[in-house]
C-alpha cells in the first residue's frame, strides 16, 4: 500500500485492520463524533454518480470539522473540456486539501492518483474494480447482525461482472472463514480470475449456483446487487445484452418465505426502480439489513477518516523485494560454443540461444537491440535444434548485456538461454528471471484501465511478476492477471 494511509483496494488491508475499523465504527455509531479534525481540508472528487458514498463521506468529514470542497459528476468541470485526471487532482491539492476522496469511471484511477500526490487518497469506487469503503461498511453490518463474520454462509447475487462492490467484498472475505456462493446469469458471472485468486489465496472452493430460490434457504447473508447498466457496452449490443439479464433476480418478500429468520438481506443501493432487483415489500421484513447498512456508511467513513489522519493501517501482502536475483546459472561443460551457424561466430559479447522459433524479433525489441549498430547484432531464424526442433538465435558482438536488460527476455521466451562470450569461450551461461516490478514494458489490454493508452490519462504501465513459471504478471492499476501468451509489449 506504500503510504499506509491510502485506501485504494481492500486487498491492501489485513484482517486486523478491518477488525479495528469495524470496532471503531461501531463505537462511533454508539457515541457520536466530535470535530477533532477541525480546520483540515478534504476534497471530494466524484467523476461518477453517487448519493450514499459521497454524502456519507461529506457528512463524516463535516462532523469531524473538515472544510470540504469538490464536485459531484464531471458535468460542469473541465473534465468535459478534455482535462487529464491528474491535472484536476493536482489543482485540488494546490488548494490545500489534505485528503483526496475520489470516484472515477476508470479502473485504477485512485491508485494512479495516490502514486502521484503527497496526501492520502481514498477510493470511493473505480469503475468495476474496487469499492473498498463499501466493503468495510458491509463487513460492519454483518458483524453487527451476527456478532461475527467467520462461519457464515454468504451469497453474492446479481451483476458479479460489472459490480465493484462484489469484487471488493470477495477479496475481503478471503480473510474470514466463510462459505461463498455466487449467483448470477452466465453473462454477468464473476470474472474467472477473481474466483481463481480467491481459491488460490484461501485453498477454499467457491460455490456457483444460479438458482436463487435454493440459495436463499441455505445462506446467512444474501448480498443483492443492481445490474450495472452504465457499464455495459454502449449501443445496440449493450442494449440487447442488458435486455437478456434485466429482471433475472428480482427478490420479493414472497421468495423469502422459507429463508432463515436471521438471514440478512444486504444491498449496497441504489436499487433500480423500473425493474426492482430488491422488492419494496422486502423493506418490511426483519431480514432487510440494507437501510442499516447504508446508515453504517457514515460511521465507517468517520472511522476511516480518523484512521487516515491517525495511526493508519498495517496492510496486507506487503511485497518486500530484497536483493533481486535476475539470473540462474547453468553449467558450462567445456567452455566451448556449440553451433556451426554464422551466429555462433561471436567471439566477445552475448549469445541468446534456444529462443522459440519466430520469437526472435520480439526478443530484439524487448531487449532494445534495434538501437544497436546493425553490424553488431546477428539474428538467425528457425535453426535446427536437437532439443526443441526449431529455434531462433541472436548474437550481439562486443556487447555484454546486463542481467537487468536481459531479464526482460523472460517476457517473451520461456526457454531462452544466455551465453556471455569472452575470447571465444563461454564465460557465463544461464537463464534469466523477470524482476518483480515491470515498468513501461507491457500494454494493459483492459479497456477501462487508467494505463490503457486509449484512455489518455498518461498513467505509466506497471505490472508485477506474480509467478515465473508459467509466467503470470498483474496490472498495478486494474489488477488483471496476464499470462505470457496474452502479453502485449509496448
Ligand atoms: C454502489 C456503487 O456505486 O458501486 N453503490 C454505492 O456505492 N452504494 C453500487 C451500485 O451503484 O449499484
Amino acid at each position: 500500500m506504500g503510504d499506509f494511509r491510502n485506501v485504494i483496494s481492500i486487498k491492501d488491508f489485513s484482517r486486523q485492520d478491518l477488525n479495528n475499523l469495524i470496532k471503531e465504527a461501531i463505537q462511533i455509531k454508539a457515541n457520536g463524533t466530535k470535530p477533532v479534525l477541525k480546520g483540515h481540508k478534504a476534497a471530494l472528487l466524484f467523476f461518477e454518480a453517487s448519493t450514499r458514498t459521497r454524502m456519507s463521506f461529506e457528512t463524516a468529514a463535516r462532523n469531524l470539522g473538515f472544510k470540504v470542497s469538490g464536485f459531484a459528476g464531471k458535468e460542469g468541470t473541465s473534465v468535459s473540456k478534455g482535462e487529464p485526471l491528474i491535472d484536476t487532482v493536482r489543482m485540488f491539492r494546490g488548494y490545500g486539501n489534505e485528503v483526496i476522496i475520489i470516484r472515477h469511471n476508470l479502473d485504477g484511477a485512485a491508485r494512479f492518483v495516490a502514486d502521484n500526490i503527497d496526501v492520502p487518497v481514498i477510493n470511493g469506487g473505480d469503475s468495476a474494480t474496487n469499492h473498498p469503503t463499501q466493503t468495510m461498511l458491509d463487513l460492519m453490518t454483518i458483524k453487527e447482525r451476527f456478532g461475527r463474520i467467520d462461519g457464515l454462509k454468504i451469497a453474492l447475487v446479481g451483476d458479479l461482472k460489472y459490480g465493484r462492490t462484489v469484487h471488493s467484498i470477495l477479496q475481503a472475505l478471503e480473510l474470514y472463514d466463510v462459505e461463498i456462493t455466487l449467483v448470477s446469469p452466465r453473462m454477468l458471472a464473476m470474472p474467472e480470475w477473481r474466483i481463481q485468486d480467491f481459491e488460490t489465496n484461501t485453498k477454499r472452493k467457491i460455490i456457483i449456483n444460479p438458482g436463487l430460490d435454493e440459495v436463499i434457504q441455505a445462506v446467512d447473508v444474501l448480498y443483492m446487487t443492481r445490474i450495472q447498466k452504465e457499464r455495459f457496452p454502449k449501443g445496440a449490443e449493450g442494449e440487447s445484452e442488458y435486455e437478456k439479464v434485466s429482471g433475472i433476480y428480482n427478490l420479493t418478500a414472497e421468495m423469502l418465505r422459507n429463508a432463515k429468520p436471521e438471514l440478512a438481506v444486504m444491498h449496497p443501493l441504489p436499487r433500480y426502480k423500473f425493474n426492482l432487483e430488491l422488492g419494496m415489500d422486502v423493506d418490511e421484513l426483519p431480514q432487510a439489513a440494507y437501510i442499516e447498512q447504508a446508515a453504517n456508511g457514515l460511521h465507517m467513513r468517520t472511522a476511516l477518516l480518523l484512521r487516515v489522519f491517525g495511526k493508519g493501517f498495517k496492510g496486507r501482502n506487503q511485497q518486500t523485494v530484497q536483493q533481486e536475483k535476475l539470473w540462474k546459472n547453468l553449467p558450462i561443460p567445456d567452455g566451448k560454443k556449440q553451433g556451426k551457424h554464422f551466429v555462433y561466430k561471436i567471439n566477445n559479447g552475448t549469445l541468446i540461444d534456444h529462443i522459440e522459433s519466430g520469437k526472435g524479433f520480439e526478443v530484439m525489441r524487448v531487449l532494445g537491440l534495434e538501437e544497436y549498430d546493425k553490424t553488431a547484432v546477428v539474428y538467425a531464424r528457425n535453426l535446427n535444434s536437437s532439443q526443441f526442433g526449431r529455434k531462433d538465435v541472436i548474437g550481439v558482438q562486443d556487447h555484454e548485456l546486463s542481467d537487468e536488460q536481459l531479464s526482460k527476455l523472460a517476457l517473451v521466451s520461456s526457454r531462452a538461454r544466455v551465453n556471455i562470450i569472452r575470447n571465444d569461450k563461454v564465460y557465463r551461461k544461464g537463464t534469466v528471471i523477470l524482476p518483480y516490478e515491470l515498468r513501461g514494458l507491457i500494454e494493459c489490454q483492459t479497456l477501462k484501465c487508467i494505463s490503457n493508452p486509449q484512455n489518455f490519462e498518461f498513467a505509466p504501465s506497471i505490472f508485477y511478476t506474480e509467478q515465473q513459471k508459467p509466467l503470470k504478471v498483474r496490472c498495478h492499476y486494474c489488477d488483471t492477471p496476464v499470462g505470457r501468451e496474452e502479453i502485449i509489449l509496448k
Side-chain angles (χ1 to χ4, degrees):
M1 137 156 86
D3 187 320
F4 293 96
R5 298 167 306 153
N6 286 329
V7 182
I8 307 297
S9 158
I10 203 77
K11 74 173 184 182
D12 298 335
F13 290 80
S14 67
R15 180 174 160 127
Q16 181 77 57
D17 288 329
L18 297 175
N19 288 349
N20 285 341
L21 278 167
I22 293 168
K23 204 170 2 149
E24 287 153 16
I26 291 175
Q27 273 164 11
I28 289 165
K29 188 174 180 179
N31 303 330
T33 325
K34 291 201 177 69
V36 291
L37 293 169
K38 205 171 166 59
H40 287 286
K41 287 186 184 162
L44 286 142
L45 313 184
F46 277 63
F47 295 83
E48 260 193 354
S50 171
T51 310
R52 268 151 286 265
T53 305
R54 189 173 61 81
M55 287 316 298
S56 60
F57 261 121
E58 183 166 337
T59 310
R62 288 194 197 283
N63 288 347
L64 288 169
F66 278 89
K67 290 187 190 144
V68 180
S69 64
F71 52 83
K74 52 186 160 201
E75 303 72 22
T77 73
S78 287
V79 176
S80 54
K81 299 184 187 167
E83 177 166 70
L85 167 63
I86 198 64
D87 287 358
T88 314
V89 175
R90 279 186 186 135
M91 188 196 79
F92 276 90
R93 176 64 189 117
Y95 295 164
N97 284 292
E98 300 157 274
V99 57
I100 306 283
I101 303 160
I102 179 172
R103 168 172 286 195
H104 201 273
N105 56 310
L106 291 177
D107 299 303
R111 181 78 74 194
F112 174 54
V113 169
D115 289 347
N116 288 283
I117 215 94
D118 62 345
V119 290
V121 174
I122 301 181
N123 188 358
D126 58 345
S127 186
T129 303
N130 294 297
H131 198 347
T133 68
Q134 178 69 43
T135 295
M136 290 163 181
L137 71 92
D138 295 343
L139 295 177
M140 171 188 177
T141 310
I142 296 174
K143 171 80 178 165
E144 271 189 326
R145 282 240 159 186
F146 296 91
R148 65 195 161 99
I149 299 170
D150 289 316
L152 297 177
K153 295 184 175 172
I154 300 177
L156 307 178
V157 185
D159 188 347
L160 307 185
K161 180 179 179 184
Y162 298 112
R164 55 193 169 203
T165 62
V166 283
H167 295 165
S168 274
I169 200 170
L170 183 66
Q171 288 179 310
L173 292 175
E174 285 182 8
L175 302 170
Y176 297 89
D177 182 20
V178 293
E179 183 188 281
I180 292 177
T181 306
L182 302 179
V183 184
S184 75
R186 202 185 305 210
M187 249 175 61
L188 297 180
M190 181 68 71
E192 193 48 43
W193 64 266
R194 289 195 179 274
I195 298 178
Q196 266 175 28
D197 278 358
F198 181 95
E199 294 187 341
T200 312
N201 294 342
T202 61
K203 312 275 176 295
R204 281 183 272 141
K205 281 265 166 222
I206 284 179
I207 302 166
I208 301 197
N209 184 355
L212 180 58
D213 285 321
E214 191 187 337
V215 172
I216 287 173
Q217 294 173 44
V219 296
D220 304 296
V221 175
L222 197 61
Y223 192 104
M224 302 299 296
T225 59
R226 178 179 64 88
I227 295 180
Q228 309 280 299
K229 191 176 182 192
E230 69 276 25
R231 299 193 205 290
F232 278 57
K234 298 278 167 276
E237 185 202 341
E239 279 297 327
S240 97
E241 263 189 37
Y242 180 74
E243 284 310 312
K244 284 187 204 137
V245 288
S246 73
I248 192 157
Y249 295 119
N250 284 2
L251 188 70
T252 58
E254 170 64 16
M255 289 163 77
L256 292 165
R257 186 175 72 236
N258 295 324
K260 298 183 185 180
E262 65 276 17
L263 170 77
V265 177
M266 298 179 64
H267 192 305
L269 301 177
R271 59 183 145 187
Y272 186 56
K273 68 177 181 180
F274 301 109
N275 198 343
L276 287 163
E277 70 279 11
L278 180 59
M280 304 305 284
D281 54 359
V282 181
D283 298 4
E284 311 305 325
L285 302 181
Q287 287 100 338
Y290 39 88
I291 306 296
E292 194 70 21
Q293 181 186 358
N296 282 343
L298 171 65
H299 310 298
M300 179 49 82
R301 287 167 178 134
T302 308
L304 254 180
L305 285 169
L306 284 169
R307 272 262 157 192
V308 164
F309 279 78
K311 278 187 260 176
F313 310 99
K314 184 169 148 278
R316 154 159 67 139
N317 296 335
Q318 295 304 310
Q319 180 80 22
T320 42
V321 186
Q322 286 118 11
Q323 193 58 42
E324 270 196 290
K325 222 177 132 241
L326 301 177
W327 175 276
K328 195 167 140 238
N329 269 326
L330 289 171
I332 310 171
D334 52 9
K336 286 208 187 90
K337 289 179 291 172
Q338 315 259 311
K340 302 261 175 300
H341 187 274
F342 180 74
V343 70
Y344 293 99
K345 296 263 185 293
I346 298 240
N347 53 13
N348 279 299
T350 312
L351 192 62
I352 308 168
D353 208 346
H354 298 295
I355 302 166
E356 289 83 343
S357 184
K359 288 206 170 174
F361 267 126
E362 282 290 275
V363 169
M364 299 240 274
R365 207 156 71 78
V366 75
L367 297 187
L369 301 181
E370 287 154 328
E371 312 283 311
Y372 284 59
D373 181 353
K374 291 269 178 303
T375 57
V377 182
V378 197
Y379 173 27
R381 266 186 288 178
N382 214 21
L383 300 185
N384 274 323
S385 155
S386 50
Q387 245 177 307
F388 299 109
R390 293 273 153 191
K391 65 178 179 183
D392 287 2
V393 185
I394 295 171
V396 194
Q397 176 70 34
D398 294 331
H399 292 275
E400 287 187 10
L401 305 188
S402 69
D403 289 3
E404 208 215 328
Q405 187 177 4
L406 282 164
S407 68
K408 294 168 194 158
L409 178 60
L411 276 177
V412 183
S413 167
S414 62
R415 60 176 216 207
R417 287 178 192 167
V418 182
N419 302 273
I420 301 293
I421 313 288
R422 284 190 190 168
N423 301 324
D424 227 22
K425 281 204 173 330
V426 181
Y427 165 75
R428 193 174 178 232
K429 188 184 189 76
T431 53
V432 291
I433 302 165
L434 262 188
Y436 177 64
E437 187 175 295
L438 306 166
R439 275 186 177 263
L441 291 172
I442 300 170
E443 197 170 288
C444 186
Q445 298 302 296
T446 304
L447 279 180
K448 288 288 198 74
C449 181
I450 187 112
S451 73
N452 187 320
Q454 290 179 34
N455 292 318
F456 292 94
E457 292 293 355
F458 309 98
S461 149
I462 304 174
F463 277 74
Y464 300 110
T465 308
E466 204 162 273
Q467 185 180 285
Q468 299 272 351
K469 267 191 177 139
L471 184 66
K472 184 161 115 189
V473 298
R474 195 183 288 266
C475 178
H476 171 62
Y477 304 100
C478 70
D479 267 356
T480 314
V482 190
R484 184 179 276 115
E485 296 314 316
E486 301 126 33
I487 289 176
I488 306 289
L489 294 171
K490 273 208 163 272

